[in-house]
Amino acid sequence: MNQSEEEILRLLENVFDPEIPVLNIVEMGIVRSVNIVQNEYRIEITPTYSGCPAMHTIEKDILDLLNSHGIKNVKIKRIYSPAWTTDCFSESTKTKLKEYGIAPPVINIKEEFLKINRTCPFCDSDKTKTISEFGSTSCKSLHYCDDCRQPFEYFKCI
Amino acid sequence: MTNILDKNIQNALFNYILGLGDDRLILGHRLSEWCGHAHILEEDIALGNIGLDLIGQASAYLSLAAEVENKNRTEDDLAYFRNEYEFKNFQLVEQPNIDFAYTIVRQFFFDVYEGIFLEELAKSKFEQMAGIAKKSIKENIYHTRHSRNWILRLGDGTEESHVKTQTAINDLWKFTGEIFSENENDNILINENFAPDLKPLKSKWNEIIKSVLNEATLEMPENIGFSSGSRSGIHTEHLGHLLAEMQIVARSFPGAKW
């Protein structure tokens, strides 16, 4: 019951995004801060998209995990600023996404619109077409690879 | 920050943020009505996604409004336990879906407004509100690409799609006047640099709408008369029906959880 802020942060690396279960909420940048103030564990999290329905699950997962480690006095706050962005995804995060079968975001939203074809995460071909800019979750769009004939999802820049 | 505000400003801010939340809540709800009804699966998902973004933004604004009001109300109290005359959303966003053309035209008018408006709101001195605006800017880019592309395809598509889209534009035009109007409440906040001055933005909106409609071979209607009053609680007959459906579960089982 005397974990430091750093230790709490390490613990939170065990909470994964329910929609992309290969990425944890710390490397995704969803956890913004951990502060211990007068025995209260204050955790700030930020949504990827404003309406991301995974936030409820993530909050519950954080509480369950910390409770199971004997940490009870937890207060989670949602913040919106600075806005979450895919620009800060590290190369290793992008590699994990690609290995999971989701094409990782290109550099930023401006470049995304200039480059029309997404690269297929399975065969690296650029001969792909966009099926829809809105996919199974807010953060993904739908595409089809003309080379390996696989549909695939792309993590949109935001 | 909210506990050091002057009473007048606090009240003006509450009303203003409530309006922002209501616009997005009502439009988001309208889009959710398309679930399972769109002509193709991808479009069904797109409308659902956009609605979800808007409802998420509404949730952020309404939570902030509740915090500013400081009377122990929550975002859910504000969404589900206010009556029609207490809602402040634009009349544009409460208009029924009618058909796909109406839905897309309503969305396009709102998306273009939102794109221009958010850039300015993001500069607000009230940081929490500016933060939500900044968060929504990139979401709006996707929304506007979606509605703009549909306007082009529908307007410059078949004769039927052209006629239906032009009809929707003509019918919805009268609701576009008030989205750039200002009232006393707004003026209090404009003076404090909390809210943007909307007057210079109207011509920018007109230019974008005109150029897209032109490209889509559609006509800009004439400005004959505009409906207004939504920020003071005056609405068309459609809002009451929408609220009845949106609020019934929360009102039948107050505090229910699952």
Side-chain angles (χ1 to χ4, degrees):
Chain A
M1 176 65 209
N2 285 317
Q3 286 88 344
S4 68
E5 290 161 2
E6 185 61 26
E7 281 165 335
I8 299 286
L9 205 57
R10 293 282 85 79
L11 263 181
L12 292 178
E13 286 176 354
N14 295 305
V15 176
F16 290 86
D17 184 316
E19 285 167 348
I20 315 150
V22 284
L23 300 183
N24 72 58
I25 58 171
V26 177
E27 69 183 320
M28 278 194 79
I30 290 173
V31 177
R32 277 287 157 83
S33 68
V34 176
N35 281 299
I36 305 171
V37 183
Q38 292 164 342
N39 282 329
E40 187 177 81
Y41 291 81
R42 292 183 188 169
I43 297 165
E44 287 188 323
I45 58 173
T46 196
T48 54
Y49 278 71
S50 296
C52 180
M55 291 309 276
H56 294 285
T57 311
I58 291 172
E59 283 176 17
K60 190 176 172 295
D61 289 350
I62 292 175
L63 284 177
D64 288 350
L65 177 88
L66 296 182
N67 287 347
S68 75
H69 283 79
I71 303 161
K72 301 278 183 216
N73 200 3
V74 181
K75 208 167 189 180
I76 301 174
K77 191 175 180 202
R78 274 188 218 188
I79 58 164
Y80 296 90
S81 183
W84 187 85
T85 170
T86 43
D87 299 357
C88 57
F89 270 5
S90 69
E91 284 311 310
S92 83
T93 303
K94 288 185 182 180
T95 308
K96 278 191 209 172
L97 268 178
K98 184 167 182 274
E99 283 169 359
Y100 185 62
I102 299 172
V106 292
I107 304 161
N108 59 46
I109 198 164
K110 278 191 187 132
E111 299 218 2
E112 178 177 275
F113 291 145
L114 292 175
K115 183 177 181 292
I116 295 177
N117 295 344
R118 306 286 164 248
T119 306
C120 173
F122 305 115
C123 73
D124 295 317
S125 166
D126 280 336
K127 269 196 252 160
T128 64
K129 51 180 177 257
T130 299
I131 306 293
S132 172
E133 277 193 354
F134 296 88
S136 60
T137 67
S138 305
C139 51
K140 286 173 273 177
S141 51
L142 280 176
H143 305 267
Y144 183 80
C145 177
D146 283 332
D147 269 338
C148 71
R149 311 209 162 200
Q150 286 286 323
F152 67 91
E153 290 186 304
Y154 166 75
F155 201 114
K156 292 191 275 187
C157 287
I158 193 157
Chain B
M1 172 144 186
T2 50
N3 51 6
I4 51 158
L5 290 172
D6 172 272
K7 264 265 169 279
N8 265 338
I9 297 173
Q10 182 188 6
N11 191 42
L13 252 184
F14 170 68
N15 285 320
Y16 189 82
I17 302 171
L18 206 52
L20 300 181
D22 287 349
D23 286 336
R24 285 142 193 89
L25 177 66
I26 301 302
L27 186 55
H29 186 83
R30 277 285 181 234
L31 291 177
S32 79
E33 293 171 358
W34 272 101
C35 265
H37 297 287
H39 52 280
I40 47 169
L41 184 59
E42 286 78 8
E43 192 50 35
D44 207 283
I45 293 170
L47 294 172
N49 262 269
I50 296 166
L52 193 61
D53 281 345
L54 291 170
I55 290 172
Q57 294 162 12
S59 158
Y61 285 120
L62 293 181
S63 302
L64 182 59
E67 198 181 310
V68 169
E69 186 191 31
N70 201 15
K71 283 186 181 160
N72 269 332
R73 286 206 278 186
T74 65
E75 58 175 291
D76 285 346
D77 294 333
L78 293 174
Y80 298 120
F81 294 91
R82 275 182 303 144
N83 294 320
E84 190 186 351
Y85 61 89
E86 295 168 286
F87 271 78
K88 296 178 182 297
N89 58 276
F90 295 142
Q91 291 170 1
L92 173 69
V93 301
E94 73 204 27
Q95 297 310 306
N97 291 333
I98 303 182
D99 61 20
F100 190 64
Y102 269 87
T103 302
I104 290 299
V105 169
R106 183 186 64 205
Q107 195 62 37
F108 178 60
F109 287 165
F110 182 82
D111 288 341
V112 173
Y113 153 80
E114 176 87 330
I116 299 168
F117 174 69
L118 288 177
E119 289 290 338
E120 299 303 315
L121 188 67
K123 298 173 196 158
S124 167
K125 227 175 72 187
F126 189 53
E127 281 171 23
Q128 283 162 285
M129 184 165 72
I132 303 171
K134 277 183 208 147
K135 170 87 201 148
S136 324
I137 287 176
K138 288 188 200 164
E139 293 169 356
N140 171 261
I141 294 176
Y142 285 105
H143 301 175
T144 310
R145 273 167 66 87
H146 171 263
S147 57
R148 180 186 175 278
N149 287 342
W150 269 118
I151 292 286
L152 296 178
R153 270 187 278 174
L154 294 172
D156 202 9
T158 64
E159 198 187 333
E160 189 183 358
S161 72
H162 178 91
V163 169
K164 284 189 167 178
T165 309
Q166 188 64 57
T167 306
I169 291 168
N170 297 346
D171 282 359
L172 292 171
W173 194 252
K174 61 177 169 293
F175 300 112
T176 60
E178 68 165 0
I179 60 179
F180 290 100
S181 67
E182 284 163 358
N183 56 25
E184 256 174 56
N185 192 79
D186 297 338
N187 288 331
I188 297 175
L189 299 174
I190 293 167
N191 286 338
E192 296 291 323
N193 289 325
F194 277 2
D197 184 358
L198 297 174
K199 286 189 286 291
L201 306 179
K202 176 79 197 260
S203 59
K204 211 170 164 186
W205 184 86
N206 267 314
E207 263 169 48
I208 298 174
I209 299 290
K210 194 174 180 180
S211 86
V212 176
L213 293 192
N214 198 27
E215 198 182 335
T217 73
L218 293 160
E219 303 271 332
M220 282 274 270
E222 279 177 50
N223 294 329
I224 295 172
F226 290 115
S227 182
S228 66
S230 63
R231 292 295 196 234
S232 331
I234 297 169
H235 293 284
T236 59
E237 68 270 30
H238 307 293
L239 182 64
H241 296 280
L242 180 151
L243 293 180
E245 193 173 301
M246 188 180 85
Q247 297 180 331
I248 183 144
V249 175
R251 289 193 183 215
S252 304
F253 306 98
K257 282 192 163 59
W258 66 86

